Amino acid sequence: MVLHSSASKAENEMYKKAVELYEFGSSDSSFVHAFNLLKPLAEKGWSNAQVLLAYLYKCGKGVELSCEKSEYWYKQAAAQGNQAACHNLAIHYGTDMSEVEKAYWALKAARLGSEPMQRTTALNYYLGWGIPQNYLYAHAWFNVARANGEEVQEYLDKLEEFLPTEEICKSQEMARQLFEEIHLERFDSSIQK
């Protein structure tokens, strides 16, 4: 659980209680209570509170179901670089978000370390979903996904059938750089917490 060092003790306690209610609540009243604790924190800019609030709106737990409000709160958190928010925007169903927007959020989540979105980004480049088809980038992202344990070898094999050797080498170097940037960013953000 990520607490905020600049927040008051009362705010951190409020957040802990909201997370407890969110994770272990089983009744509408526990979700309503979680919502009431999360909303002021989300309005103050707590990205993790914004993500939880977005989820409550998305599922209609403790609040009226609203895809628009859910998307709003996910975007607030995503603007702060919250990986979960970017990931959820990439798979946000029930809105009129375009495939281009979903591909954008998938790429952003992939760069922030979301392993499933690294595979999704590779597929987006491979198939041209929401972004221009680019086999070099697809190959690079499939390599990143594979390094994180995703089962993508079949895609790499298909791409390597027709990509020239120099393109494969270039892609592998891109993948190495992406992997290092992603893991360095994760390391840096874990130190700041």
Side-chain angles (χ1 to χ4, degrees):
M1 176 181 332
V2 178
L3 300 178
H4 292 258
S5 57
S6 64
S8 71
K9 185 176 179 176
E11 288 173 327
N12 279 321
E13 290 301 317
M14 209 164 98
Y15 180 71
K16 282 200 266 187
K17 180 66 176 172
V19 169
E20 184 181 301
L21 289 164
Y22 171 86
E23 289 180 349
F24 303 111
S26 57
S27 67
D28 276 345
S29 64
S30 46
F31 291 117
V32 168
H33 190 63
F35 175 85
N36 289 331
L37 293 170
L38 290 168
K39 187 137 195 252
L41 296 173
E43 289 170 343
K44 285 184 95 174
W46 286 44
S47 68
N48 289 333
Q50 292 167 340
V51 169
L52 295 179
L53 194 63
Y55 182 78
L56 291 174
Y57 275 116
K58 179 180 175 186
C59 297
K61 292 186 176 208
V63 67
E64 187 177 321
L65 179 90
S66 173
C67 290
E68 292 78 22
K69 288 180 182 177
S70 174
E71 187 177 315
Y72 170 81
W73 285 111
Y74 278 138
K75 285 183 177 179
Q76 295 302 303
Q80 297 181 63
N82 186 293
Q83 181 199 102
C86 295
H87 178 105
N88 287 326
L89 283 166
I91 60 172
H92 201 59
Y93 302 109
T95 68
D96 59 358
M97 191 181 298
S98 71
E99 291 304 313
V100 171
E101 289 175 287
K102 288 179 183 181
Y104 168 81
W105 292 115
L107 178 59
K108 190 163 181 164
R111 288 187 165 277
L112 290 168
S114 171
E115 294 168 9
M117 287 300 119
Q118 291 165 356
R119 183 178 192 276
T120 297
T121 294
L123 284 168
N124 288 345
Y125 277 120
Y126 183 70
L127 300 169
W129 286 343
I131 50 180
Q133 189 173 45
N134 186 314
Y135 293 143
L136 180 70
Y137 289 172
H139 193 270
W141 278 107
F142 279 129
N143 273 294
V144 171
R146 180 180 63 184
N148 286 315
E150 294 284 328
E151 297 290 329
V152 296
Q153 190 60 48
E154 67 183 278
Y155 294 106
L156 287 167
D157 291 344
K158 286 179 185 177
L159 286 166
E160 289 173 7
E161 285 178 14
F162 59 86
L163 278 176
T165 303
E166 62 273 3
E167 291 288 299
I168 293 170
C169 292
K170 185 177 179 181
S171 165
Q172 289 170 336
E173 177 58 25
M174 287 172 58
R176 185 190 62 73
Q177 289 174 354
L178 284 166
F179 190 83
E180 286 178 4
E181 288 170 15
I182 290 163
H183 289 279
L184 181 61
E185 179 66 30
R186 275 185 177 169
F187 177 74
D188 287 346
S189 66
S190 70
I191 289 175
Q192 294 172 10
K193 290 179 182 167

